[in-house]
Amino acid sequence: MENLAPIELLDPEKLSFDRFREEVLKDYRLACESREASLLGRKEVLTGKAKFGIFGDGKEVPQVAMAKFFKPGDVYAGYYRDQTFAFATEAATIEEFFSQLYADPDPKHDPHSAGRQMNSHFATAFVDSDGSTLDLVNRKNLTAGLAPTAAQMPRALGLAAASKAFREVKALKPFTELSNNGNEICFCTIGDASTSEGHFWEAVNAAGVLQVPLAIFVWDDGYGISVPRQYQTTKGSISEALKGFQKEEGTNGIDIYKVKAWDYAGMCEVFETGLRAVRQTHTPAIFHVEEVTQPQGHSTSGSHERYKSPERLEWERDWDGIKKMKEWIVDNALASEEELNDIETEAKESVRNSRNLAWEKYQSPIRVQVNRSVELIREMASQSADHAEQLSHLAQALSANREPGRKEVLETLHEATLLAGDGVAARNGATYYKELKHDNAALYNTHLYHEGARKITQVPEIKPVYADNAPVLNAYEVLNRYFDELFTHNPKVLAFGEDLGKIGDVNQGFAGLQAKHGADRIFDTGIRELTIMGQGIGMAFRGLRPIAEIQYIDYLLYGLQPLSDDLASLQYRTAGKQTAPLIIRTRGHRLEGIWHSGSPMGLILNSLRGLHVCVPRNMVQAAGMYNTLLEGVDPALMIECLNGYRLKEKLPSNLLEFRVPLGEPEVIREGEDITVVSYGATLRIVQQAAGVLETLGISCEIIDIQTLLPFDIHHRILESLKKTSRLLIVDEDVPGGAAGFIFNKVMEEQGGYRWLDTAPRTITGQAHRPAYSSDGDYFSKPNAEDIIDAIRAMVAE
């Protein structure tokens, strides 16, 4: 056995033997409870009471060791194998673990995701119901777990980068409820096979460059599901593969530690030393935890006996962490085997009780629905001459269902009301069905965006004010003046991205501002869009208001995964307990060339529900939208017009005060004959066409939608249709992209079809990407001639 010497579990306090023994036995009890939760959890899946399960068995001992050094203020970014860590930090209870396994939608039972996430995705509150950031310094903070492999890595970088900002940015020193001078560590966990993902390598490289307090724990069980690690990792070892990253004197980089998952004492010693260094020096660290076992295999969807040899399975039984910890305790005379057996027995009983309580709490409201539904269906049967037998059978089947879900209740009730016709009992059943649909919508279809006091659509409009002698500037200079004011008055705002710092971004919106406001607030990054997004997400989690730049919208693809799987779903999957109000700044529209075509709006709309998508036509509008977004707590994507930076615009005198409301289109030209809907740079093409059409006696009403998400919340476009009775949507995205989205909203949601005298039309870009040069742009995207001809034809119909 390695490291049989007593260990110091609390630094710098020297523990008495009794206190030391108590601490060790507490950890052993917790490990046993977590193991039993995994064993019972698998049984709940196999018996059908839960749908699916992935558990943390085999990782109990390293996680109780790791949790010892997780302090108030620290933050965690991990995945679905960390149940023991959540129990050890008291961020979750075993009863909550089972409530999540059953997908209980009551947030009092599953406060981590309200039944919206698979088991073992834990989350603590970061904001209150009004969206205000909580005191994060005096609590242990778990960011909502992620299932996509390595998806926690980009966010983890940002959570650690926030500590660096709090330590280095003087303007942030007053925010003592958010940080204790940047002393907080981000604890990140990942399975060894997932270190093959690009997310891992990009995040580790960025952490080594930035020197941020990121502690990465790699659980190495030798496999990626069934694939051995020699097929996953160079040299068959992530710590060996990373040796070139090892920090040496005079260099940046990371520290690398190797421990064994069954060596409780050794892990406590190494974790204590390594994490102290991370906290004090902000040097990131990798803790490669080797020889992890998986007693039940990867998940409930398969058996590891199919791909592990009998010898490997025997080794895992012999070197199980709990078994080895028990041997170590006995060998060091900390407890007898009988005492430990008693702890194991008590742990099993405690977990069974927690499971039973969770199941009862989950089933109790459903049984109420079942009983009421059965009562109503039997009433229908008594009043139905033709379908009494079928209705009685439905009532009996629902009543006999031992493990009903809300789905079965609604399906049965709906079927019954269809059979029962139009009697009083049928109407009562239909009314109850509608009540349940409404109640379940609140359980399952809320919190995509913030719903409290800082709801973004409640931010009132404040119009820009222009002095009589207001200067007329290049549009990028308007933005530059705005950002200067913003950084002067809002210390929580930071901005970063490729070429953003020293040269002030490729279009000069930040020109000169790094020198004025500091390189710790406005700074350059490497070419790494994925972790630029993660850096922004993590910093926003911790109460900052980052603006993270993607140089061109086409490069958003590199950073799309964390935006879609993490940021866009964050408020939904935590039922509003967490938000990360990141603003992603980019530019696009009316670009030239295949790689700078700049309008993948359908892609954005379909993958980023949960973000606001702003498409301002000019930079004054953009500034007003930035102000509105900073009033709220939702994340957003700001797409500035690339070919608009050198157009002339008046400078408002109330740069920080005016607000452009989101979800409210603006009529920028009134007309009588046709409603033309567009946004961004394409509006200028529409305006050009409208000028020609006016000379031909055709009056166009042009509407700038301003934001795609939210979209026309007061149905302004419908009001225009009532006047013009014709609709043309002009969009430079591919056919069926944003134009299809707008069409659906106006025709189906707003009922615009009722007011049309002729078929509505869309004019979009071609299905291919735009060819290079101005001619390529002309033939690939909508042009004024296309718009003129389409409108003339529609008016003539």
Side-chain angles (χ1 to χ4, degrees):
M1 295 290 294
E2 293 187 6
N3 199 342
L4 297 182
I7 51 177
E8 295 178 9
L9 296 180
L10 295 176
D11 181 53
E13 181 183 357
K14 306 296 185 184
L15 298 180
S16 67
F17 179 81
D18 288 343
R19 179 84 183 279
F20 169 72
R21 176 181 180 277
E22 178 185 338
E23 192 75 17
V24 171
L25 295 184
K26 176 185 174 184
D27 286 350
Y28 184 72
R29 180 184 301 275
L30 186 57
C32 292
E33 290 174 342
S34 185
R35 175 65 59 85
E36 186 65 17
S38 294
L39 297 173
L40 287 185
R42 183 180 179 87
K43 289 179 181 177
E44 297 301 271
V45 173
L46 296 180
T47 59
K49 290 169 73 174
K51 293 291 289 187
F52 179 72
I54 292 182
F55 304 103
D57 45 305
K59 299 172 177 66
E60 297 91 352
V61 176
Q63 288 184 20
V64 293
M66 166 180 121
K68 290 186 172 303
F69 309 103
F70 188 73
K71 297 183 177 181
D74 287 343
V75 285
Y76 155 89
Y79 70 135
Y80 43 71
R81 301 262 186 213
D82 297 335
Q83 68 199 46
T84 311
F85 177 77
F87 302 154
T89 57
E90 299 182 344
T93 67
I94 293 175
E95 184 181 318
E96 290 168 358
F97 166 86
F98 280 104
S99 292
Q100 195 170 61
L101 185 67
Y102 301 137
D104 190 330
D106 189 331
K108 294 191 296 294
H109 304 157
D110 171 18
H112 308 278
S113 74
R116 298 176 180 194
Q117 289 233 91
M118 191 181 73
N119 70 293
S120 294
H121 289 75
F122 303 106
T124 58
F126 276 65
V127 294
D128 63 20
S129 60
D130 289 332
S132 298
T133 304
L134 299 170
D135 177 353
L136 302 180
V137 169
N138 295 303
R139 63 178 66 208
K140 296 178 179 180
N141 306 292
L142 275 63
T143 62
L146 287 157
T149 50
Q152 64 272 34
M153 295 302 306
R155 172 205 288 181
L157 174 73
L159 292 167
S163 288
K164 179 178 181 178
F166 282 118
R167 180 170 287 186
E168 296 183 356
V169 179
K170 291 182 179 179
L172 295 177
K173 297 301 181 184
F175 301 106
T176 54
E177 77 284 3
L178 300 179
S179 175
N180 177 22
N181 197 39
N183 291 331
E184 304 80 22
I185 297 175
C186 174
F187 285 55
C188 178
T189 62
I190 187 170
D192 179 68
S194 295
T195 65
S196 299
E197 294 278 11
H199 294 51
F200 175 82
W201 291 92
E202 188 170 314
V204 169
N205 179 62
V209 170
L210 294 173
Q211 293 294 277
V212 294
L214 175 60
I216 303 170
F217 297 81
V218 180
W219 312 132
D220 185 355
D221 60 24
Y223 291 85
I225 304 183
S226 67
V227 181
R229 69 181 169 206
Q230 60 263 35
Y231 299 115
Q232 304 270 2
T233 308
T234 298
K235 300 182 180 180
S237 167
I238 191 60
S239 54
E240 292 297 310
L242 285 170
K243 277 189 172 179
F245 284 76
Q246 177 66 56
K247 184 171 182 176
E248 299 172 357
E249 187 158 349
T251 72
N252 57 18
I254 65 175
D255 288 330
I256 302 171
Y257 303 88
K258 292 171 69 172
V259 294
K260 304 299 185 185
W262 44 263
D263 183 7
Y264 170 77
M267 285 187 292
C268 288
E269 183 178 350
V270 171
F271 291 169
E272 181 182 28
T273 300
L275 290 167
R276 185 190 299 117
V278 173
R279 199 178 300 278
Q280 292 175 349
T281 69
H282 277 197
T283 302
I286 298 277
F287 296 91
H288 184 191
V289 183
E290 299 179 296
E291 300 185 12
V292 176
T293 63
Q294 280 195 327
Q296 299 184 109
H298 175 76
S299 73
T300 56
S301 64
S303 168
H304 61 158
E305 286 83 1
R306 290 185 299 164
Y307 54 86
K308 290 178 182 176
S309 68
E311 293 77 17
R312 171 70 190 194
L313 292 169
E314 181 63 27
W315 179 89
E316 291 198 12
R317 286 189 289 271
D318 290 341
W319 292 87
D320 181 89
I322 294 178
K323 179 176 182 291
K324 287 297 180 184
M325 185 178 181
K326 185 175 185 178
E327 292 174 2
W328 177 82
I329 291 172
V330 172
D331 289 348
N332 282 272
L334 296 172
S336 67
E337 190 164 348
E338 290 74 19
E339 287 178 280
L340 299 181
N341 290 339
D342 288 343
I343 287 174
E344 293 163 18
T345 301
E346 292 165 3
K348 291 179 180 181
E349 182 65 24
S350 174
V351 173
R352 280 194 296 269
N353 290 338
S354 294
R355 177 201 59 181
N356 294 340
L357 283 170
W359 179 252
E360 177 58 31
K361 288 180 178 179
Y362 169 61
Q363 282 286 287
S364 181
I366 299 176
R367 289 196 199 100
V368 171
Q369 296 177 16
V370 167
N371 293 338
R372 178 59 178 153
S373 297
V374 167
E375 178 184 342
L376 289 168
I377 295 169
R378 285 175 176 158
E379 288 178 10
M380 294 180 213
S382 69
Q383 297 179 17
S384 174
D386 297 331
H387 301 288
E389 185 176 347
Q390 290 170 277
L391 288 164
S392 295
H393 177 73
L394 287 175
Q396 176 59 31
L398 182 58
S399 179
N401 190 331
R402 296 181 60 187
E403 297 169 359
R406 289 169 172 82
K407 171 178 176 284
E408 286 77 22
V409 174
L410 284 166
E411 286 177 341
T412 305
L413 196 55
H414 188 269
E415 184 178 355
T417 57
L418 292 177
L419 288 170
D422 194 34
V424 173
R427 289 195 293 273
N428 290 339
T431 298
Y432 187 54
Y433 176 82
K434 290 179 182 177
E435 289 176 7
L436 292 181
K437 289 279 283 187
H438 176 270
D439 293 344
N440 286 319
L443 293 176
Y444 294 100
N445 306 127
T446 52
H447 296 294
L448 182 61
Y449 299 95
H450 175 66
E451 298 177 357
R454 299 178 70 181
K455 187 175 182 179
I456 202 75
T457 52
Q458 294 177 350
V459 176
E461 179 180 17
I462 301 176
K463 292 186 178 296
V465 174
Y466 296 94
D468 293 338
N469 60 344
V472 177
L473 306 174
N474 289 318
Y476 77 85
E477 295 176 298
V478 172
L479 271 184
N480 187 269
R481 298 277 187 95
Y482 168 72
F483 287 133
D484 187 13
E485 289 286 315
L486 178 63
F487 274 75
T488 298
H489 292 93
N490 191 335
K492 290 185 179 180
V493 178
L494 295 89
F496 49 90
E498 298 158 13
D499 300 307
L500 182 77
K502 186 172 183 179
I503 70 170
D505 88 44
V506 292
N507 294 100
Q508 298 295 281
F510 278 89
L513 298 186
Q514 184 186 78
K516 181 174 182 180
H517 297 285
D520 49 8
R521 293 187 67 197
I522 299 171
F523 51 90
D524 292 312
T525 68
I527 300 176
R528 49 174 182 84
E529 287 82 5
L530 181 84
T531 48
I532 292 173
M533 296 298 92
Q535 197 167 337
I537 293 168
M539 296 176 101
F541 252 110
R542 294 189 58 189
L544 300 175
R545 298 306 303 257
I547 299 173
E549 176 158 321
I550 294 287
Q551 196 163 95
Y552 299 106
I553 196 172
D554 305 84
Y555 303 160
L556 189 71
L557 281 171
Y558 285 89
L560 190 63
Q561 190 276 330
L563 295 182
S564 182
D565 287 341
D566 190 358
L567 186 62
S569 69
L570 179 60
Q571 291 192 76
Y572 174 78
R573 59 196 166 87
T574 62
K577 293 179 70 171
Q578 296 186 352
T579 186
L582 168 65
I583 298 175
I584 302 105
R585 179 188 181 226
T586 188
R587 51 195 62 83
H589 306 312
R590 215 66 210 183
L591 306 184
E592 298 179 1
I594 286 174
W595 310 120
H596 290 79
S597 52
S599 296
M601 307 308 297
L603 170 84
I604 289 166
L605 288 167
N606 288 315
S607 59
L608 297 183
R609 301 296 174 94
L611 272 68
H612 299 303
V613 178
C614 301
V615 283
R617 66 182 181 270
N618 58 42
M619 304 312 154
V620 169
Q621 294 295 99
M625 291 179 185
Y626 280 118
N627 285 333
T628 301
L629 292 171
L630 289 166
E631 287 283 305
V633 292
D634 293 327
L637 176 65
M638 180 73 71
I639 306 169
E640 298 168 6
C641 293
L642 180 59
N643 62 0
Y645 286 113
R646 294 192 178 274
L647 299 178
K648 302 299 182 181
E649 296 185 43
K650 272 189 178 183
L651 180 70
S653 56
N654 60 338
L655 274 175
L656 290 184
E657 287 75 39
F658 82 99
R659 309 281 187 268
V660 173
L662 304 194
E664 298 187 23
E666 181 180 354
V667 177
I668 61 173
R669 179 180 181 131
E670 294 194 359
E672 303 293 330
D673 297 321
I674 188 169
T675 299
V676 187
V677 176
S678 191
Y679 61 91
T682 307
L683 278 167
R684 292 196 287 276
I685 308 296
V686 172
Q687 289 173 302
Q688 178 186 344
V692 174
L693 288 164
E694 187 175 26
T695 67
L696 301 176
I698 297 174
S699 173
C700 299
E701 181 144 299
I702 302 175
I703 298 182
D704 174 11
I705 62 172
Q706 301 201 98
T707 62
L708 282 158
L709 296 175
F711 182 85
D712 193 7
I713 58 177
H714 300 308
H715 295 185
R716 181 62 186 84
I717 295 171
L718 181 65
E719 293 304 310
S720 178
L721 286 185
K722 291 178 181 179
K723 176 173 61 173
T724 68
S725 300
R726 298 180 181 89
L727 175 66
L728 175 65
I729 301 167
V730 183
D731 172 34
E732 63 179 49
D733 196 4
V734 297
F741 168 79
I742 296 169
F743 191 93
N744 167 264
K745 286 286 188 178
V746 176
M747 290 295 101
E748 183 175 347
E749 187 174 296
Q750 298 186 11
Y753 65 90
R754 298 188 185 95
W755 302 92
L756 295 179
D757 289 342
T758 188
R761 288 192 58 181
T762 64
I763 296 177
T764 69
Q766 298 296 316
H768 56 74
R769 296 192 180 198
Y772 183 57
S773 84
S774 295
D775 283 345
D777 174 74
Y778 179 85
F779 289 106
S780 301
K781 290 193 174 184
N783 57 60
E785 291 74 24
D786 291 337
I787 296 168
I788 291 167
D789 291 345
I791 291 176
R792 291 184 66 201
M794 292 175 72
V795 171
E797 290 181 7

